[in-house]
């Protein structure tokens, strides 16, 4: 499948909607916590076990993005979006079969493994293309698309809750909900496949903005050998670990925090809280990433990591005494969490150029794979152990929250260590390459 080239006069503003159709679909992953209580009840699972499909999906997201990044660069966004569509939708269909037959391993295989591949390929599919269309505003461009991943749960969370209410929260109702998800997302993602285009090599600057390939350029192979890449890997891993563990447990967490108070949280309200977090995640992706175009990537990550640690401290110390404080801090944290994802491609573009930014971004997302295991494992394992010890309410999560503060501090230090990439890693400009080749020719030639 050859990349579809935009015809003359084609508007670059049609690319973000194409990306959004894919990212809004795969963003359903952030609504997984809505399925956790029904699965635990229907199949007799623990909190740690019910998190496994989500954890594996995030692991496969990072691995498929890392190994598939070069293929995405080579084959183009339409190929990548098609692969994402097939894998993501198939994952739901396999999960539907698993729920219907009460075979939990099929849910793990479908949603976690197969669907996770769709997550990874779908996530990186538009990034390189968007940066090439919008080299003048890379933070805004990637933020528009990636906000869809953060906002997917804004649609999926209430939609899933309504389906479980209508179909039933037993294994057959869960199976039917998975089946509807797989079918509906296949149709919606098809819109992006049909709409996406890549810029023409010799397009006019009026139609597509400034030329994309300017300044420092570093190959993906060279990028992973630089300290800058690994500093950003730590930054992303710490920020994601601190956020994803809370997000994956969002619905049960707010219920537990206020279970013993005069204002307990219902199941419907908890699903609404997940949707609110999704809205903050979504808004942060476009808002903070656009702000990074103005104040710089390092400064915006100082905000994400420093202020994020403060928000976690407020929840740990005072969260169970004030529902508005708990919700406000959680919304700020999730806006930083989403902003971190949307800003990282532009940070990579600043450091390594646009030459192979999609492939570099894919390799960096292995940090997300690591965080996808660490975050939910820390929160769920500690909560399960605290519950076994007879604790309840906010005490289930206090230790996890303080661990997250420490992780954000580590990420803050890593961000401070980022410096410009040394010239030895740069891809030579065409003239430089020709001069080197000329000097290497024998004089007698």
């Amino acid at each position: 499948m050859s990349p579809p080239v935009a015809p003359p006069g084609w508007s670059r503003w049609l690319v973000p909607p194409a990306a959004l159709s894919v990212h809004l679909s795969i963003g359903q992953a952030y609504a997984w916590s809505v399925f956790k209580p029904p699965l635990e009840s229907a199949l007799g699972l623990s909190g740690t076990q019910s998190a496994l499909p989500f954890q594996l999906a995030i692991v496969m997201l990072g691995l498929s993005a890392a190994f598939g990044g070069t293929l995405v660069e080579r084959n183009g966004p339409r190929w990548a979006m098609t692969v994402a569509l097939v894998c993501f939708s198939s994952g739901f269909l396999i999960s539907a079969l698993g729920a219907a037959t009460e075979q939990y391993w099929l849910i793990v295989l479908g949603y976690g493994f197969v669907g996770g591949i769709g997550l990874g390929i779908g996530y990186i599919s538009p990034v390189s293309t968007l940066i090439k269309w919008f080299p003048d505003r890379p933070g805004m461009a990637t933020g528009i698309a990636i906000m869809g991943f953060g906002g997917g749960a804004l649609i999926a969370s209430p939609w899933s809750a309504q389906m479980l209410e209508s179909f039933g929260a037993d294994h057959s109702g869960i199976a039917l909900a998975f089946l509807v998800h797989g079918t509906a997302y296949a149709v919606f993602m098809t819109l992006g496949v049909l709409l996406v285009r890549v810029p023409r090599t010799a397009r006019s600057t009026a139609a597509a903005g400034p030329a994309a390939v300017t300044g420092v350029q570093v190959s993906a192979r060279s990028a992973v050998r630089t300290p800058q890449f690994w500093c950003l890997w730590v930054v992303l891993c710490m920020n994601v670990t601190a956020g994803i563990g809370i997000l994956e447990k969002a619905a049960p967490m707010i219920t537990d925090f206020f279970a013993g108070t005069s204002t307990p949280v219902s199941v419907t309200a908890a699903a609404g809280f997940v949707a609110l977090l999704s809205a903050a995640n979504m808004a942060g992706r476009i808002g903070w990433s656009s702000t990074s175009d103005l104040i710089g990537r390092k400064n915006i990550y100082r905000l994400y990591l420093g202020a994020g640690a403060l928000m976690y401290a407020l929840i740990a110390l005072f969260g169970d005494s004030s529902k508005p404080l708990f919700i406000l801090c959680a919304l700020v944290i999730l806006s930083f969490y989403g902003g971190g994802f949307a800003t990282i491609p532009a940070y990579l573009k600043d450091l390594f150029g646009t030459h192979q930014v999609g492939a570099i971004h894919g390799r960096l997302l292995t940090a997300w794979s690591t965080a996808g295991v660490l975050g939910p494992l820390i929160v769920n394992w500690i909560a399960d152990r605290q519950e076994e010890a007879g604790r309840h309410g906010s005490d289930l999560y206090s230790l996890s929250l303080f661990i997250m503060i420490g992780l954000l501090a580590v990420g803050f230090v890593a961000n401070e260590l980022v410096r410009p990439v040394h010239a030895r890693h740069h891809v030579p400009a065409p003239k430089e390459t020709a001069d080197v080749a000329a000097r290497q020719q024998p004089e007698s030639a």
Side-chain angles (χ1 to χ4, degrees), residues 128-423:
S128 177
T129 303
L130 281 164
I131 288 178
K132 289 170 183 174
W133 275 112
F134 294 88
D136 49 333
R137 285 176 283 181
M140 180 212 69
T142 55
I144 289 175
I146 293 176
M147 77 174 179
F149 193 87
L154 187 62
I155 300 170
S157 180
W159 184 38
S160 300
Q162 182 60 49
M163 278 194 286
L164 290 172
E165 183 177 337
S166 301
F167 302 151
D170 59 356
H171 69 93
S172 60
I174 296 170
L176 188 53
F178 283 156
L179 179 62
V180 173
H181 274 76
T183 305
Y185 284 134
V187 173
F188 193 58
M189 293 172 75
T190 300
L191 299 177
V193 172
L194 297 176
L195 185 61
V196 73
R197 298 287 188 279
V198 296
R200 299 176 68 84
T201 303
R203 67 187 187 278
S204 66
T205 56
V213 182
T214 58
V216 171
Q217 302 296 326
V218 180
S219 69
R221 182 187 294 271
S222 296
V224 297
R225 300 173 181 171
T226 65
Q228 289 82 356
F229 177 90
W230 293 106
C231 283
L232 289 187
W233 193 97
V234 172
V235 167
L236 185 63
C237 185
M238 297 300 100
N239 192 50
V240 174
T241 301
I244 204 168
I246 307 301
L247 184 58
E248 185 271 339
K249 191 81 169 177
M253 178 179 287
I254 192 171
T255 302
D256 291 335
F257 252 77
F258 298 98
T261 69
S262 58
T263 56
V265 177
S266 67
V267 174
T268 303
F273 174 65
V274 174
L276 274 178
L277 293 182
S278 178
N281 191 350
M282 185 176 184
R285 289 173 188 244
I286 180 61
W288 293 124
S289 62
S290 297
T291 303
S292 76
D293 287 334
L294 302 176
I295 69 173
R297 321 301 173 196
K298 179 175 282 192
N299 286 333
I300 204 71
Y301 273 96
R302 286 168 174 155
L303 177 67
Y304 298 155
L305 300 162
L310 176 61
M311 295 298 106
Y312 274 108
L314 290 174
I315 291 178
L317 297 174
F318 311 109
D320 59 345
S321 62
S322 172
K323 191 179 294 183
L325 176 66
F326 178 93
I327 294 173
L328 178 62
C329 290
L331 292 177
V332 173
I333 288 169
L334 263 294
S335 77
F336 291 159
Y337 170 80
F341 276 119
T343 310
I344 205 71
Y347 210 161
L348 292 172
K349 180 258 183 188
D350 293 346
L351 290 170
F352 303 111
T354 60
H355 176 54
Q356 291 187 333
V357 68
I360 298 170
H361 184 223
R363 286 161 172 77
L364 192 76
L365 290 182
T366 53
W368 194 354
S369 293
T370 304
V373 173
L374 287 179
L377 181 62
I378 290 170
V379 175
N380 285 286
W381 187 85
I382 290 176
D384 288 344
R385 300 293 81 75
Q386 298 288 61
E387 188 173 13
E388 290 173 1
R391 296 183 176 86
H392 55 83
S394 62
D395 291 340
L396 298 175
Y397 305 101
S398 297
L399 178 58
S400 299
L401 293 171
F402 285 113
I403 290 174
M404 300 309 177
I405 293 171
L407 295 177
L408 289 173
V410 172
F412 190 95
V413 172
N415 183 53
E416 294 301 307
L417 296 176
V418 174
R419 298 290 186 272
V421 177
H422 194 278

